[in-house]
């Protein structure tokens, strides 16, 4: 499909300019550099309480087991490989905040306050042994958390052709 | 869509009659159902998807040709299928752009449009482990439609994407608020903001009223129920491109942003649960590649010892399911049949063993091995899982 | 097909809820419907055919791309849609053959198969006379599917068609026991005994479980619900090839066996009942020819004074609907827009006047004139019937 | 789609031979040369009675008018052109027998005996002024009836290309 170049206008003029208010309402994403993180903060101990109330039914007591999978790394000798969790498989800590806020709890998505999400993030990082009990998680500290799995991630470098990789 | 069912089948459902009660003894002796507003599927056809809570698999073994009926298109969603009012739904494009903009669905339909027949496949599309598995069970998370929409490049020009924009975030309006980071280059190349599927509006299961469609790329990146695109200079590292849709490779590494769907083929007939007779058999299947056109499909009827060129049904389209066929005379002796595809980059569909050797045992997504079918002397056709091999 | 409806729309119908009661205030805050066995059409989409007792017209103005959703494929039948049990249905081939034979539907599916995307059109597909007419009203008796089946030539070889067989009779199993005489050459050339439509079994409205499909020929010859083929040495002169499907031409003569569908095109957007705004408009439409490929579509935006080349969406297939598009900037002044197609034989779609001049006023079938749309200053788009011209 | 010629068998061997009994059951078509016409005969006067009972409701008294169209030619001066009927538009008389037997009466197709169809055929030919009151229609006579419209019918001779015809 080619539009003859002499007839393509620079702009068609459909749609309208987005106001900063309406962008802000939707612009909920968090980047690894922390861009997008809201004000507020969270602590493991506060998150632990919320987790027990709102999350453990699906993700297990302490984030281990549960019908929807572990979030906390454990070494279960009966399993061939360790379950993939935040502690051993997630490359960026900011993803925890972003994902919980947009999608959890599964049955009531979008119901958590930013403070609750910060607390849950702090709790899950602590339970996975990544930050300590007293650590405070906020827009400044979260991007600096180095996740154990980060070094494992590599981008796809395949380019087609006969190679099996 | 809300029309009163007009045909025999529709009436049977509405009046609680069993379908078989409506079958005439001699259809030439009684006037049939009159013309209707919406056609029906014959009540004799029991072709259905296989659903779990999070996905539903297309019955590949029941399909003819290359088009997937829209209501049998595979499903994969992370928080169910939302109901979205097309008159209220909007797409916002912002971030590294000259002019952040909002487009209604009606706005999107005013732009120059494009249509293409292309497959969609979930990169997690592989199951094995049992003999009693059909193509639907093994790799039913792929389907093909004719998609229509506006090229994303057209919208990129409209908002004035800045030269330093290298990635964009695509976000859905479902309860998962699904998000993926996509290289801007794909947006300029061939991405479509789609609102049409097989001639009509997208189906709710496929993203109604508007979705991203990235030809040849793993299904999850083609964000459904699209509400927002943000242009940026780095990937967002969303949960779906880190914790999910990444795969273990050699040396304990984890590969991410593996977007292209590797070339694949599968014999869909004869395949479990079909039972065949000896004599002439047209072996039929589907082949596709996310990296371009299928150039060759080979079929083996002797467990991989020798290979024959299958016929490819025209049109052979870019990043599209192609129907292949190979006419074979079966002497009735037990054997194994299988197919392998070669795409235009020279990639040849690998064996299970080759994939495990190349990636290690802890892999997952993008698993596209040759599927072998055991043909038993009594005509039964069984999957050959790797543990049997 | 008999599955319990799984989605919001299906549930609404089953539980008697109104569809709008199910629309969530914010779809991101409630889990959607889970994956199902059969997908649905959005309850917001009101795309339907326009039925009379004997036919039902496809909503061409609502379609995207080139595939017609199977349940929106036009209908034309002479005694309703029969319900036929595919397990009992048989096709008999006899007459001037070495070996008269009976094929079950299962037998037919065992033969080598072929698929092709091609249009079907009723040769009586023309209405005019009012301004408030949509493409559906004017020529909605055309649709396009991907058809799959066995080539008739394969069956001709199987039964051993005799050299002196020059015509065959095709007969349906509906209450009209519809019959047409077809030159044997068409059977050898490209006729298909079809059992597949857009990836699945034929729909009942289109001939389930098996029909004749004659690419490019007037729809009535593609006998649905096919039960019998008799090979002979002359046409049978059935009612449908004498009293009907024949047209008056110059000198009081009546032309019969005019099989080919003459090339045609129509702008489907903007078209009644759409209302448009001034500025950039992508003019969209469909073009096709029963004699081969579309090679050119021209669009005029000044009532036929000048013509511009429209873009043709790939793939441009033989005897198939092609989607054409022409990007135009409308200054808001009242005008007329229209399209005309040229096919690979060099045939150029004629005007109404040319057709009447060539055939006389007492014609009928195979009426394929250029359709002009009046674009009013307020953006309304109206058919331009000949009596207004 | 090409099957490589070295692999096409002369026959695939699917399907079975049709017996003459099962062919006979379906082989209901009538050709212009009379092939297919059954034993029996019909007369206008007998057909007239049947027509009044089973057909006139849809095709009008005497085959003129009716909700489903005239079958008998008349000259109605209020109409621009004469209605197309058996008398002025049908090229072969055998088609009348074939069509009525396979498709009429519309609401009860396949319900007429061969004798009824012969009688109706005789009646419609007579009503259209093509055969006389006493004529007998049977497998011998019907193919010899020359229809007024036969001379008008010409096959399509267009071959594509620029010609509008
Ligand atoms: C009703 C069940 C349910 C509840 C309650 C629930 N979750 Fe989940 N959670 C899920 C499901 C199901 C998934 C997987 C969703 C998917 O596949 O996209 C998931 C996924 C996750 C993941 C991603 C796991 C991974 O490895 O990718 C995180 C993190 C998570 N939940 C955190 C939470 C937190 C925190 C809460 C409480 C505030 C919570 N969940 C409550 C069902 C639940
Ligand atoms: C219930 C209504 C009805 C009855 C009763 C009926 N017909 Fe018809 N007839 C129709 C319809 C409707 C058509 C047109 C069918 C079509 O379009 O294929 C038709 C068409 C015909 C035609 C073809 C007309 C043409 O110009 O092509 C003939 C001949 C005919 N009927 C004869 C008969 C005879 C003889 C009987 C009685 C034995 C009969 N019909 C009874 C409804 C009826
Ligand atoms: Ca952002
Ligand atoms: Ca997990
Ligand atoms: Ca019955
Ligand atoms: Ca609500
Ligand atoms: Ca015969
Ligand atoms: Ca008539
Ligand atoms: Co991937
Ligand atoms: Co014709």
């Amino acid at each position: 499909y080619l539009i003859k170049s002499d007839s393509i206008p620079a702009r068609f003029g459909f749609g309208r300019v987005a106001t900063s208010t309406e962008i802000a309402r939707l612009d909920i994403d968090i980047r690894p550099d922390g861009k997008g993180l809201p004000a507020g903060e969270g602590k493991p101990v506060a998150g632990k309480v919320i987790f027990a109330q709102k999350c453990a039914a699906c993700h297990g007591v302490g984030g281990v087991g549960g019908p929807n999978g572990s979030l906390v790394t454990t070494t279960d000798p009966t399993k061939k490989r360790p379950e993939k969790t935040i502690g051993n498989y997630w490359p960026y800590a900011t993803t925890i905040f972003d994902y919980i806020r947009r999608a959890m709890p599964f049955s009531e998505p979008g119901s958590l306050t930013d403070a609750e999400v910060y607390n849950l993030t702090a709790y899950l990082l602590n339970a996975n042994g990544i930050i300590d009990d007293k650590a405070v998680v906020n827009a400044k500290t979260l991007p600096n958390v180095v996740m154990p799995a980060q070094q494992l991630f590599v981008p796809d470098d395949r380019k087609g052709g006969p190679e099996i990789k | 869509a809300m029309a009163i069912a007009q045909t025999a089948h529709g009436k049977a459902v509405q009046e609680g009659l069993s379908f078989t009660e409506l079958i005439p003894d001699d259809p030439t002796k009684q006037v049939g159902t009159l013309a209707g507003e919406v056609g029906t599927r014959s009540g004799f056809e029991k072709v259905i998807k296989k659903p779990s809570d999070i996905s539903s698999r297309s019955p590949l073994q029941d399909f003819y040709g290359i088009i997937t009926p829209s209501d049998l298109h595979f499903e994969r969603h992370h928080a169910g299928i939302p109901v979205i009012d097309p008159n209220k739904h909007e797409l916002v494009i912002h971030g590294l752009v000259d002019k952040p903009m909002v487009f209604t669905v009606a706005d999107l339909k005013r732009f120059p449009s494009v249509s293409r027949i292309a497959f969609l496949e979930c990169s997690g599309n592989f199951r094995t482990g049992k003999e009693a598995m059909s193509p639907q069970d093994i790799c039913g998370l792929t389907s093909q439609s004719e998609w229509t929409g506006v090229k994303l490049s057209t919208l990129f020009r409209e908002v004035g994407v800045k030269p330093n924009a290298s990635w964009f975030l695509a976000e859905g309006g479902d309860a998962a608020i699904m998000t993926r980071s996509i290289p801007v280059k794909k947006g300029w190349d061939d991405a479509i903001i789609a609102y049409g599927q097989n001639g009509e509006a997208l189906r709710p299961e496929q993203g109604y009223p508007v979705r991203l469609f990235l030809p040849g790329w793993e299904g999850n990146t083609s964000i459904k129920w699209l509400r927002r695109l943000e242009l940026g200079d780095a990937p967002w590292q969303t949960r779906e491109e880190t914790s999910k849709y990444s795969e273990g490779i050699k040396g304990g590494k984890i590969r991410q942003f593996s977007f292209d769907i590797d070339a694949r083929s599968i014999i869909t007939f004869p395949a479990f649960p079909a039972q065949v007779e000896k004599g002439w058999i047209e072996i039929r299947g589907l082949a596709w590649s996310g990296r371009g056109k299928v150039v060759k499909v080979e079929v083996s009827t002797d467990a991989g010892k020798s290979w024959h060129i299958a016929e490819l049904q025209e049109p052979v389209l870019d990043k599209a399911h192609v129907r292949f066929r190979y006419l074979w005379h079966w002497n009735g002796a037990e054997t194994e049949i299988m197919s392998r595809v070669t795409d235009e980059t020279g990639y040849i569909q690998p064996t299970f063993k080759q994939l495990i050797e190349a990636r290690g045992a802890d892999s997952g997504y993008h698993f596209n091995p040759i599927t072998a079918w055991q043909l038993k002397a009594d005509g039964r056709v069984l999957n050959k899982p790797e543990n049997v091999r």
Side-chain angles (χ1 to χ4, degrees), chain A, chain B:
Chain A
Y1 178 71
L2 284 166
I3 302 168
K4 277 191 301 315
S5 51
D6 61 5
S7 64
I8 298 183
R11 289 197 173 150
F12 288 92
F14 308 146
R16 60 177 175 79
V17 169
T19 66
S20 48
T21 321
E22 66 192 335
I23 293 172
R25 197 170 45 81
L26 293 174
D27 189 9
I28 57 172
D29 57 275
I30 316 295
R31 306 209 312 185
D33 63 6
K35 203 177 157 210
L37 280 168
E41 58 172 37
K43 290 177 187 163
V45 56
K48 184 173 182 151
V49 179
I50 305 166
F51 192 89
Q53 284 169 357
K54 301 193 173 180
C55 322
C58 295
H59 294 292
V61 174
V64 178
N68 297 111
S70 301
L71 304 176
V72 172
T73 312
T74 49
T75 340
D76 179 345
T78 67
K79 292 209 169 154
K80 210 164 71 186
R81 318 186 184 110
E83 213 181 331
K84 289 169 182 164
T85 64
I86 290 172
N88 63 15
Y89 203 83
W90 286 47
Y92 297 95
T94 46
T95 310
I96 308 171
F97 188 101
D98 177 274
Y99 181 71
I100 293 173
R101 187 168 66 166
R102 68 174 65 239
M104 288 295 135
F106 187 80
S107 38
E108 285 187 83
S111 64
L112 301 175
T113 64
D114 288 348
E116 285 178 305
V117 180
Y118 266 128
N119 283 322
L120 285 163
T121 304
Y123 168 67
L124 287 169
L125 286 168
N126 174 252
N128 275 289
I130 297 164
I131 63 171
D132 71 29
D133 289 0
K134 303 274 176 261
V136 173
V137 166
N138 60 30
K140 280 248 165 65
T141 60
L142 190 59
N144 295 327
V145 174
V146 178
M147 299 293 280
Q150 187 173 343
Q151 43 152 7
L152 304 176
F153 276 73
V154 293
D156 187 12
D157 61 355
R158 293 170 305 158
K159 301 262 169 279
E163 181 186 45
I164 308 296
K165 200 174 164 187
Chain B
M2 308 295 276
I4 302 304
Q6 299 262 357
T7 66
H9 171 219
K11 282 194 187 126
V13 171
Q14 274 167 10
E15 295 164 19
L17 296 173
S18 94
F19 172 70
T20 43
E21 283 178 74
L22 287 161
I23 305 168
D25 305 318
D26 181 350
T28 68
K29 297 207 168 167
Q30 84 186 47
V31 176
T33 315
L34 297 187
E37 290 187 337
V38 182
T40 53
R41 179 169 288 147
S42 166
F44 291 103
E45 294 294 311
K46 309 292 178 210
V47 181
I48 49 173
K49 297 191 275 195
K50 272 199 186 172
S52 71
D53 277 357
I54 60 169
S55 72
S56 198
R57 311 174 80 78
S58 279
L60 302 183
Q61 66 281 351
D62 298 321
F63 290 163
Y64 308 106
I66 57 170
I67 295 293
T68 304
S70 296
D71 64 359
L72 299 175
H73 192 290
F74 86 86
E75 296 177 42
R76 176 71 179 99
H77 25 72
H78 288 257
I81 306 150
V83 176
I84 296 182
D85 185 336
N87 303 309
K88 292 186 188 146
H89 188 76
E90 291 176 334
L91 173 63
V92 172
I93 309 185
H94 70 111
L96 295 177
V97 300
D98 294 336
K99 195 170 153 186
M101 293 193 73
V102 186
F103 303 100
T104 63
V105 177
D107 290 334
L108 294 172
K109 292 181 182 172
R110 292 179 71 185
F111 285 98
S113 60
V114 64
S115 300
R116 73 182 287 175
I117 296 173
F119 75 88
L120 198 63
E121 183 176 14
C122 176
S123 56
N125 191 22
F126 178 65
R127 293 287 176 277
T128 186
K130 283 193 308 184
E131 293 194 318
M133 288 179 85
S134 67
Q136 179 171 28
D137 297 323
I138 294 166
C139 62
L141 297 176
T142 185
S143 304
Q144 177 148 293
S145 300
E146 183 190 31
W147 303 98
T148 297
V150 46
K151 285 177 165 187
L152 183 49
S153 58
T154 303
L155 299 182
F156 275 4
R157 271 191 294 268
E158 196 72 17
V159 298
V161 163
K162 295 202 165 142
N164 60 331
S166 53
W167 290 77
F168 69 89
L169 185 78
E171 185 175 86
D174 59 332
I177 319 185
M178 180 55 58
T179 40
R180 284 297 299 261
S181 306
I182 312 290
V184 163
K185 182 176 186 309
K186 184 70 176 175
W188 288 112
D189 282 355
D190 63 1
I192 296 170
I193 304 298
Y195 45 76
Q197 178 183 7
N198 289 340
E200 59 176 301
L202 293 183
R203 293 299 185 100
E205 297 81 3
Q206 277 75 58
Y208 183 84
V210 59
R211 76 177 301 164
L212 183 61
F213 183 75
L214 303 180
W217 280 24
E218 61 181 3
N220 179 255
T221 61
S222 284
I223 298 291
K224 296 186 280 192
W225 312 294
L226 190 70
R227 73 171 194 184
R228 184 168 73 98
L229 298 175
E230 179 172 349
L231 282 292
D233 56 8
W236 275 254
Q237 305 289 354
T238 74
R239 181 252 190 176
E240 313 303 329
E241 60 211 23
T242 53
S243 166
K244 304 290 160 191
Y245 302 103
S246 61
E247 61 267 1
I249 50 170
K250 272 275 170 73
K253 293 286 179 187
I254 300 163
R255 184 162 62 203
Q256 70 174 159
F257 303 126
S258 46
F259 293 123
D260 292 316
I261 290 286
D262 301 316
R264 187 171 195 174
S265 71
I266 183 165
I267 291 173
T268 57
F269 180 84
F272 181 83
Q275 181 146 9
V276 291
E277 289 171 45
K278 72 180 173 186
W280 289 99
I281 292 176
E282 188 181 67
I283 295 176
R284 299 167 186 158
L286 290 170
W288 61 98
S289 169
R291 292 199 185 83
K293 286 191 182 176
V294 164
V295 295
K296 184 166 72 177
V297 176
E298 294 161 289
V299 167
S300 174
T301 56
D302 58 5
K305 285 191 271 299
S306 65
W307 294 87
H308 308 270
I309 302 287
E311 306 291 334
L312 303 182
Q313 175 70 65
E314 288 292 333
V316 176
L317 301 171
D318 191 43
K319 302 173 183 171
H321 283 174
V322 174
R323 175 65 57 180
F324 69 85
R325 302 182 175 109
Y326 174 70
L327 187 59
W328 174 52
H329 192 274
W330 181 40
N331 62 12
E334 198 160 311
T335 187
E336 275 172 34
I337 62 172
M338 60 192 80
S339 65
R340 74 176 175 212
V341 61
T342 303
D343 75 15
E344 66 174 58
T345 74
Y347 177 85
I348 303 168
Q349 185 182 7
T351 61
F352 187 97
K353 194 159 159 284
Q354 282 177 303
L355 281 169
I356 292 293
E357 276 170 12
R359 297 183 191 168
D362 193 15
S363 198
Y365 295 94
H366 296 283
F367 216 76
N368 61 325
I370 290 173
T371 299
W373 299 101
Q374 311 170 61
L375 194 42
K376 300 294 184 186
D378 61 4
R380 280 178 310 135
V381 194
L382 300 173
N383 178 37
K384 180 169 185 186
E386 292 308 310
N387 53 19
V388 171
R389 196 163 281 205

